[in-house]
Amino acid sequence: MLKPPRLILASASTARLHLLRQIGLEPLVCPSGVDEAQIHDPNPQSLVATLATAKATQVAQQFSPPGVVLGCDSLFELGGVVYGKPADAPTALAQLQQLSGKQGQLHTGHTLIDLTSGETLSRVATTQVFFARLTSAQMQAYVHTSEPLQCAGAFALEGKGGIWVERLTGCPSNVIGLSLPLLREMMQQLGYDLTQYW
């Protein structure tokens, strides 16, 4: 059996790294230097796709074949408003006040670049997230943990914020930052089987 190409993760996200390790992968981590604030698009799905591709493209330029570069970006959308990582505690609190008792969509853009063939694939996964109603004290306590500052939408499904998520419609791992089923499909489209990495 042919040795699978190295997988290069164009992200500093520990959550994404954990997901990949969970399925038996040990990627080379190489965060991109893309300035996300310089990329704009009114459509959140187009925006995460563009950001994921920008990150993967920048990192791909640093490597020679063989290899597959994975770039991702996540945003939370609620009522047509897009939320990324909150810049500070007051912003996180304001986001949680908006999320409380409502339903939103977590969009994650996924881009794969095969360094050998040059082929690029880009897809977006969307998961519906239903939140419990939070009290002011609960929101303050959660913001005090600093966890919301690290996450799009100011919550982490895999962390303390998981207690506020009542249910999901769609891929659970997508809410953490990477849709594993979608990654499997995209790798297969490039001709690779993820079980080769085990």
Side-chain angles (χ1 to χ4, degrees), residues 31-42:
S32 77
V34 170
D35 184 357
E36 299 181 30
Q38 300 302 311
I39 300 176
H40 306 280
D41 192 311

Side-chain angles (χ1 to χ4, degrees), residues 177-194:
L178 168 63
S179 171
L180 295 175
L182 181 56
L183 175 63
R184 184 199 72 238
E185 293 174 11
M186 293 173 72
M187 287 291 282
Q188 285 178 340
Q189 192 172 339
L190 290 176
Y192 305 116
D193 185 337
L194 288 180

Side-chain angles (χ1 to χ4, degrees), residues 8-11 30-34 39 49-63 68-72 110-115 118-122:
I8 303 162
L9 177 61
S11 172
C30 183
S32 77
V34 170
I39 300 176
T50 299
L51 287 166
T53 299
K55 293 175 181 180
T57 300
Q58 186 179 86
V59 170
Q61 293 170 353
Q62 303 174 40
F63 293 90
V68 176
V69 178
L70 169 62
C72 296
H110 303 67
T111 296
L112 288 178
I113 298 177
D114 189 332
L115 297 178
E119 186 173 359
T120 298
L121 301 178
S122 185

Side-chain angles (χ1 to χ4, degrees), residues 103-143:
Q103 169 195 351
Q105 297 81 41
L106 195 293
H107 306 290
T108 300
H110 303 67
T111 296
L112 288 178
I113 298 177
D114 189 332
L115 297 178
T116 300
S117 68
E119 186 173 359
T120 298
L121 301 178
S122 185
R123 301 265 299 276
V124 175
T126 297
T127 303
Q128 305 291 323
V129 185
F130 298 79
F131 291 95
R133 190 169 298 280
L134 286 68
T135 66
S136 178
Q138 289 171 333
M139 286 185 262
Q140 292 280 2
Y142 185 41
V143 170

